[in-house]
Amino acid sequence: MAPTDETSQVPRQESPPGTTPPARPPADARAAAGARMPRWLPRAMVLALALIAAFQLGSWAFHQLTGLLINVLIAFFLALAIEPAVSWMAARGMRRGLATFLVFLGLMIVVAGFVTLLGSMLAGQIIKMVEGFPDYLDSVINGINTTFHTELRRVDVQDSLIHSDWLKKYVQNSATGVLDVSAQVLGGLFRLLTVALFSFYFAADGPRLRRALCSVLPPARQSEVLRAWEIAVDKTGGYLYSRGLMALISGVAHYVLLASLDIPYAPVLAVWVGLVSQFIPTIGTYLAGALPMLIAFTVAPWYAVWVLVFVVIYQQFENYMLQPKLTARSVDIHPAVAFGSVIAGTALLGAVGALVAIPAVATLQAFLGAYVKRYDVTDDPRVHGHRTGTPGRLTARLRRLFPG
C-alpha cells in the first residue's frame, strides 16, 4: 500500500537501539495528580480562619469596652477644658497635682450646690402639692357633684382608691422598680467616679502624657501632635469658658425677671435656665424655659406668658449679639456646621457626642485650616449674589410681546 502524504510527512520517533520506550502513566494516575490539593491551600485556609477569628474577637472586645472608651473620651475633653486653669496655677509655682485637685474641688462645690438647690426646690414643690392635694380633691369632687348632680364624698373616693387593684399593681411594680433605679444610680456613680479619675490623671500628668506620646513619633510628627494638642486645649477650654460666661449672664437676666414677678425659687430657676440653655445643645433653651414657665403658671397664668416672651427675646439677643462676640475667637464655626456636628455627634455617641461635637469640630477646623491654601477673591458681582447674565427666557419673551 502506497504511503499517504500525512504518513510520509510525519517521521516516526523510534527508541534508540538497546533501550525500552518510556511507559506513559495511566489515566487514573494523571487524574489523581490533577485532583491533589495544592500545598499552599491548607495554610491559606488556616490564615483566613485566624483572621476571621481575630476580627470577631476584636469586634466583641470593642463592643464590650464601648462604655469605657466613652468614659475615657469624656475624661479627655474634661481634662482639656480645665487645662488652661491648671496650667495657669502651675506656671505660678503650684504643683500640677494640687492645682488639678483645687480645680476639681471648685467644680464639685458648684455642682453640689446646684444639685442641692434644685433638690430643695423640687422637694418644696412636692411637699406643697401633697399638702394641697386634699383641697384640690375637694374642689374636683364639688365640681363633679354640681355638674352631674351626684353625691360623691372624699372618703368614698379615698377608700375606692386604696382598695383598687390597679393601685396594688402600681405599688408592686414600684417596689420592683426601686431595685432597677438603685442599680442605675450606683452605675451612674461608678461611671462618674471613673470619668473623674481619668480626667484627673489626664490633667495632672498632661506633660508626661505628651512626652510619652511624642517619644514614639519622629520629630516632624511631634510638632504636629503638639500643635494639635494646643489647638484642642484652646478650643475646648474656650468653648466651655464662653458657655459658662453666657450661662452666668443668662442666669442673672432671668433671675431679675423671676424676682420682679415674685415667682418662688427664683435663684434656683435662674441657675437652671443658665446651665441647661448653654450646656445642652439645640434643645437646651426649650428645656430650660419649660420649668420656669410651669412654676410661673402656678402663680398666675399671665406670668407664664411673660416668661415665655422674655425667653424668646433673650434667645434672639444671645444668638445675634452676645454669642458672636464671646465665641468669635474660641469657637469660630458656622451655625449650620455646629448644628450638623451636634446631630452627627448625637447619632454616634448620644448625649456625650452632642456635648463634645462642637469643640471637636472647632479643633479639627482650626488644625486643617493651616494646610488649606486660600486665595484672594476676585471682585465679581456674582460673589455678592448679583446676577449679570442674559435675561431668562420668560423675560425675553415678555419683551418681545410688549416692546414698550
Side-chain angles (χ1 to χ4, degrees), residues 4-77:
T4 61
D5 295 338
E6 294 179 357
T7 58
S8 62
Q9 291 178 0
V10 179
R12 181 179 296 177
Q13 296 181 357
E14 297 181 354
S15 301
T19 61
T20 58
R24 298 180 64 183
D28 296 339
R30 291 198 303 269
R36 183 179 301 171
M37 183 182 297
R39 295 181 179 179
W40 57 268
L41 187 57
R43 289 179 293 179
M45 294 176 63
V46 172
L47 181 60
L49 292 176
L51 291 177
I52 293 174
F55 176 77
Q56 294 292 337
L57 180 61
S59 178
W60 173 81
F62 177 77
H63 287 293
Q64 294 295 323
L65 297 176
T66 301
L68 178 61
L69 295 177
I70 292 177
N71 292 338
V72 172
L73 180 63
I74 299 173
F76 180 71
F77 272 93

Side-chain angles (χ1 to χ4, degrees), residues 34 50 54 60 67 80 82 93 104 170 252 260 269 298 325-326 355:
W60 173 81
L80 292 179
I82 65 175
F104 268 91
Y170 177 78
V252 172
S260 61
L269 293 175
T298 59
K325 294 182 179 180
L326 294 179
L355 290 175

